[in-house]
Amino acid sequence: MTSFADLKLAEPILRALAEEGYTDPTPIQAGAIPQLLEGRDLLGLAQTGTGKTAAFALPILHRLAQHRVPHTPKGPRVLVLAPTRELASQIDESFATYGRHMRLSHTVIFGGVGQGRQVDAMRRGVDVLVAAPGRLLDLIGQRHIDLSNVEVLVLDEADRMLDMGFVRDIRRVVALLPKERQTLLFSATMPKSIAELAGSLLRDPARVEVTPPSTTVERIRQAVMFVDDNNKKNAMLMLVQSPKVVRAIVFTLMKHEANKVVEFLEREGIAAEAIHGNKSQGARERALAGFKSGAVKVLVATDIAARGIDVDDISHVFNYDLPNVPESYVHRIGRTARAGREGWAISLCDAEQRAWLRDIEREIGKPLPVFMDHPFHSETAANSTMRPPVLGSGGRGRGGPGGGGGHHAGGQRSGARPSGGQPQRPAGANRGGGGNRRPSGGGHRAV
């Protein structure tokens, strides 16, 4: 097996990795780092939790260690674009960790906070700038940032940036960069929009793909529970009360729904916090800190806000609402079973969202096992042919009757029990078996 030492990274980087207890690279790291050390552009396809950040941070740090040059005032040598504040902060922390024995200057820029410290940090220039596109363009417009000497551009979570409508911002940023640069694009999925973006930005790129796009991590045990909408909160309470649930993320579609779920869980004695776009940066950071420390057992999040939650020991992911974009299901459940661990992903599906479940099963190429042995099971939801909710400024619309019974993934009725005949009992249910276990034996932790 390849080790980090075999990759011939600079000694200060190897020392930092050793201090963190990392010896062997993950597959995405082993595939990407040699290509990037050669200076090639790269398209990296890997699910969350596979060590993507180190896959680009380590070779970039090696480049900076080997080629020291004076800083350009207001300018970075390396620019990393990320879709959310949380992810940008996590990436910046990773550079600080792996570059702790180097003379590394770095900063992170995002909205939701005052810009004074960010402007001050950029005044003399930095080695690495991690930024969310909106605030970056704002400070460029104010002439506080100059991108004319960027040597390396990284687009992380590119699929999510496109989902969030950042494609024009990305192209505006790229237009300000030197044509001679190294460009890296990382994504968990490979829809047509990402292929087009990669084709326009990358030059003869190496491609490293450690898991086929939109497949789910094998270690994650998945299940779906059909419930009526008015029973969702009680079903969720039953799940999170299980002693097997150590730390869980609950996903909702809407911000106001996240707040309601938190209020309900707290009334029932469950330590919970919400994280979404309407929360201030300080509130989001406090919620995430409480979740990491264990003071908060359940973090209730929307899809966008959850990007950047990098916590290894999340035992369960619960979908209070199914995602309306099937690729998001893969992103969501990838928050568990990280760093070689196992995990559970359990989804609640009501009658309105039944059509979304069919889309998800078609995306992942298999039906989800159905857990029926609980007091909230709904045959109405299981057999629903309603049209899905209409999402918009007015909130969730009501679906009408669908025609013809709909299409089922793989020609199977996904409301049926999985092959084998018996309904599975998720580890998150009070009466459940089979909890979350750390794999026996060694294994290495994803960086």
Side-chain angles (χ1 to χ4, degrees):
M1 178 182 289
T2 301
S3 68
F4 283 117
D6 295 332
L7 297 175
K8 296 181 169 54
L9 294 167
E11 186 278 333
I13 302 170
L14 292 176
R15 199 188 332 158
L17 289 171
E19 291 169 354
E20 292 296 308
Y22 303 138
T23 56
D24 301 324
T26 65
I28 186 67
Q29 294 159 10
I33 290 173
Q35 303 286 353
L36 295 176
L37 290 175
E38 292 180 2
R40 293 193 64 181
D41 285 7
L42 184 131
L43 172 61
L45 297 173
Q47 294 174 348
T48 185
T50 55
K52 285 186 290 183
T53 302
F56 62 78
L58 298 180
I60 286 173
L61 289 169
H62 178 85
R63 176 187 183 124
L64 295 173
Q66 298 297 307
H67 305 285
R68 300 295 307 176
V69 298
H71 292 143
T72 302
K74 303 180 182 180
R77 293 182 64 186
V78 176
L79 173 62
V80 182
L81 293 180
T84 67
R85 296 174 275 187
E86 285 75 22
L87 181 57
S89 294
Q90 295 274 4
I91 294 170
D92 183 64
E93 290 172 8
S94 294
F95 272 101
T97 298
Y98 308 137
R100 64 164 67 108
H101 299 302
M102 297 170 50
R103 289 183 299 155
L104 178 73
S105 58
H106 59 95
T107 196
V108 60
I109 284 177
F110 46 71
V113 296
Q115 69 176 43
R117 291 184 179 180
Q118 298 175 358
V119 171
D120 290 342
M122 289 301 302
R123 190 161 284 124
R124 295 183 180 179
V126 295
D127 292 311
V128 179
L129 170 60
V130 186
R135 173 58 64 88
L136 176 65
L137 284 168
D138 187 19
L139 295 186
I140 290 172
Q142 297 177 52
R143 299 187 178 181
H144 293 307
I145 295 179
D146 174 13
L147 301 182
S148 61
N149 289 293
V150 168
E151 302 169 25
V152 183
L153 169 66
V154 182
L155 299 181
D156 195 21
E157 303 277 16
D159 48 353
R160 179 55 60 184
M161 281 199 277
L162 266 59
D163 288 345
M164 294 171 64
F166 283 136
V167 63
R168 290 186 179 180
D169 287 350
I170 291 170
R171 296 197 181 280
R172 286 175 62 193
V173 169
V174 169
L176 300 172
L177 302 175
K179 286 187 170 52
E180 292 299 319
R181 65 175 189 273
Q182 186 179 24
T183 304
L184 292 56
L185 188 152
F186 285 84
S187 180
T189 60
M190 189 63 175
K192 182 180 178 182
S193 57
I194 291 295
E196 291 174 348
L197 181 65
S200 67
L201 297 181
L202 306 178
R203 295 177 300 177
D204 186 29
R207 176 170 172 145
V208 178
E209 182 175 352
V210 299
T211 305
S214 298
T215 61
T216 47
V217 179
E218 292 181 358
R219 291 187 305 274
I220 303 174
R221 305 181 205 179
Q222 302 169 67
V224 62
M225 293 167 54
F226 291 109
V227 299
D228 293 328
D229 182 66
N230 61 354
N231 281 329
K232 272 190 171 183
K233 287 187 175 67
N234 287 324
M236 183 57 56
L237 178 64
M238 177 191 75
L239 291 170
V240 301
Q241 282 179 329
S242 167
K244 298 181 185 299
V245 177
V246 178
R247 185 179 279 111
I249 298 183
V250 174
F251 282 97
T252 65
L253 273 174
M254 302 295 184
K255 302 168 190 175
H256 66 84
E257 195 74 66
N259 293 335
K260 290 179 181 178
V261 172
V262 167
E263 291 169 3
F264 174 78
L265 292 177
E266 287 187 325
R267 285 198 303 269
E268 298 296 331
I270 303 293
E273 290 280 0
I275 180 169
H276 53 66
N278 284 353
K279 294 282 186 178
S280 69
Q281 182 62 21
R284 290 165 73 159
E285 290 177 354
R286 286 191 297 273
L288 192 53
F291 187 59
K292 287 181 175 180
S293 72
V296 173
K297 180 179 182 179
V298 178
L299 192 66
V300 185
T302 55
D303 283 302
I304 291 174
R307 286 303 178 107
I309 298 176
D310 187 13
V311 180
D312 285 342
D313 52 353
I314 294 172
S315 61
H316 291 71
V317 168
F318 298 116
N319 289 314
Y320 183 87
D321 291 310
L322 288 173
N324 62 322
V325 178
E327 292 92 341
S328 293
Y329 176 81
V330 179
H331 290 297
R332 287 183 178 189
I333 72 170
R335 298 293 150 187
T336 188
R338 296 169 74 93
R341 296 174 174 87
E342 295 182 346
W344 271 97
I346 304 172
S347 301
L348 304 182
C349 180
D350 60 33
E352 273 197 315
Q353 297 182 5
R354 185 66 179 81
W356 289 346
L357 177 62
R358 296 187 186 99
D359 292 339
I360 289 166
E361 292 176 325
R362 191 176 298 114
E363 181 73 18
I364 66 176
K366 62 181 180 182
L368 293 181
V370 180
F371 174 49
M372 300 171 63
D373 187 14
H374 62 88
F376 306 106
H377 177 71
S378 168
E379 283 295 317
T380 300
N383 298 309
S384 172
T385 57
M386 293 176 68
R387 295 189 181 94
V390 178
L391 303 183
S393 58
R396 292 174 59 178
R398 306 301 300 178
H407 298 283
H408 303 279
Q412 299 183 37
R413 178 177 171 268
S414 59
R417 295 174 180 177
S419 58
Q422 295 300 317
Q424 295 186 359
R425 195 188 305 277
N430 279 342
R431 300 166 61 188
N436 179 51
R437 298 179 312 216
R438 296 172 186 263
S440 60
H444 55 265
R445 181 179 167 213
V447 181

